[in-house]
Amino acid sequence: MPRMTILTEADLRKIVKLDLDAVACVENAFRALATLPVAMPPILRLDIPEHHGEVDVKTAYVPGLDGFAIKISPGFFDNPKLGLPSTNGMMVLLSAKTGLVEALLLDNGYLTDVRTAAAGAVAAKHLARQDASIAAIFGAGMQARLQLEALTLVRPIREARIWARDAIKAEKAAADLGEKLGITVRAESDAATAAAGADILVTTTPSAEPLIHAGFVTAGQHITAMGSDAEHKNEIAPAILKLADLYVADSAKQTRRLGELHHAIDAGLFSAEAEVTELGAVIAGKAHGRRAASDITIADLTGTGVQDTAIATLARDRARIAGAGTTFES
């Protein structure tokens, strides 16, 4: 009889961590996009503007993996005012051979948090300078915290700055991260000051207006934009994409539609048909990454279904080894 496993967030937190294994899992997912005939349909998106809410549905089939995930990912950004997290969700893992449900991952967005942070680490690993040691994080939510933690896995980060519109949240995040990571972390009240002298800049917000402006950016910096996963979101001034020595997308098709590139196209700075380097191609050695220490590099990461299938498969495999979750015949 077919068997299905239900894994709760508590189960998943025990078996899937933000570590080098998770980074490698997501790195391999990017590589697959560049080297395998991955089937990844466009994101299905639902907006609920009166409650500052959105829901994305993502999926992908990766040849060679025996399962594929379908993820439902809500983001309701007024939830913190109600004492609730702004993101949650779930994933369903199905057999790529039979289509039967193998696992229901009730992660409340945890796996998405991990794979998104891991993607930031992958981008920094392949695009930031090897000696990058100062990070500036824009945002003070869960993803902001995880992005800094992820950076410490791949670069020798010794100092970080946190900027957020909510200064109290920024101070709290800085204090918590400094204690957890054992590095110097401080909150900055001015975005330009946070960016000045930083080697890596990471944006993690749902902002509809640029947080990083052209005057903030200097030679040698790497920028990872994580938050622009919808048409109206925009964290980086379009002029910066033109200024950069290298712009890299997680999916060119997606960033033309809803990433930072989308805004640069609308501003007339890029052609809609302009050739775009994808992160997977850099990882696979099919395209160049950073060429000089003075290069300005940008990773425009909108989140892909292939990452969800990869992290869900990892969770399923680890659950089997650990005997985690509740399994029953379906």
Side-chain angles (χ1 to χ4, degrees):
M1 292 288 290
R3 295 168 65 84
M4 181 179 75
T5 301
I6 296 178
L7 293 158
T8 66
E9 180 184 351
D11 294 327
L12 292 162
R13 284 183 178 274
K14 292 175 183 176
I15 58 177
V16 179
K17 307 289 186 182
L18 177 55
D19 55 20
L20 287 173
D21 285 344
V23 173
C25 171
V26 173
E27 185 176 43
N28 287 334
F30 280 120
R31 183 182 290 107
L33 269 181
T35 59
L36 297 174
V38 171
M40 189 171 71
I43 299 168
L44 173 63
R45 178 181 177 78
L46 172 69
D47 286 307
I48 305 176
E50 61 266 37
H51 297 295
H52 200 190
E54 61 190 44
V55 183
D56 288 342
V57 179
K58 297 179 181 178
T59 186
Y61 164 64
V62 182
L65 294 184
D66 61 359
F68 65 96
I70 298 175
K71 183 183 76 173
I72 303 169
S73 180
F76 281 66
F77 300 105
D78 288 337
N79 276 6
K81 299 174 185 176
L82 305 174
L84 299 171
S86 58
T87 59
N88 63 95
M90 59 182 286
M91 297 186 187
V92 182
L93 187 71
L94 300 94
S95 168
K97 297 178 181 178
T98 66
L100 295 176
V101 175
E102 293 189 341
L104 180 59
L105 311 176
L106 303 175
D107 68 317
N108 293 320
Y110 172 69
L111 292 178
T112 295
D113 286 341
V114 170
R115 67 82 153 149
T116 303
V122 172
K125 175 182 175 181
H126 289 275
L127 298 173
R129 299 194 326 269
Q130 290 282 344
D131 63 350
S133 62
I134 301 174
I137 310 295
F138 291 75
M142 178 57 68
Q143 191 54 223
R145 293 167 180 252
L146 291 175
Q147 284 293 328
L148 180 55
E149 185 176 346
L151 287 179
T152 66
L153 296 173
V154 298
R155 285 295 181 267
I157 304 298
R158 58 176 174 77
E159 177 188 333
R161 299 87 175 262
I162 307 292
W163 177 89
R165 289 192 175 96
D166 187 329
I168 295 175
K169 283 185 67 175
E171 291 283 358
K172 179 70 164 60
D176 291 347
L177 286 164
E179 181 177 354
K180 181 176 183 177
L181 301 175
I183 62 175
T184 300
V185 185
R186 69 175 185 269
E188 291 286 0
S189 60
D190 180 71
T193 302
D199 303 312
I200 301 173
L201 284 63
V202 184
T203 59
T204 68
T205 76
S207 179
E209 297 180 354
L211 306 175
I212 299 179
H213 299 278
F216 295 9
V217 181
T218 55
Q221 289 182 322
H222 168 70
I223 303 170
T224 296
M226 305 296 310
S228 293
D229 57 357
E231 289 84 349
H232 66 283
K233 297 180 183 179
N234 183 201
E235 297 184 296
I236 299 175
I240 296 175
L241 274 67
K242 196 69 174 177
L243 175 70
D245 297 282
L246 177 64
Y247 165 88
V248 173
D250 55 1
S251 164
K253 184 180 294 184
Q254 283 188 189
T255 60
R256 286 190 181 102
R257 183 169 65 88
L258 48 79
E260 298 295 340
L261 180 60
H262 150 68
H263 296 285
I265 291 171
D266 281 357
L269 298 174
F270 282 83
S271 163
E273 292 77 35
E275 185 175 346
V276 174
T277 298
E278 293 190 338
L279 182 54
V282 175
I283 293 167
K286 299 173 70 173
H288 73 82
R290 171 179 292 273
R291 284 175 160 165
S294 60
D295 282 356
I296 295 171
T297 57
I298 297 175
D300 191 358
L301 306 185
T302 53
T304 61
V306 70
Q307 295 168 245
D308 297 313
T309 284
I311 200 73
T313 303
L314 175 67
R316 188 274 316 273
D317 292 346
R318 288 193 173 176
R320 286 176 174 172
I321 294 170
T326 302
T327 301
F328 56 90
E329 293 182 352
S330 58

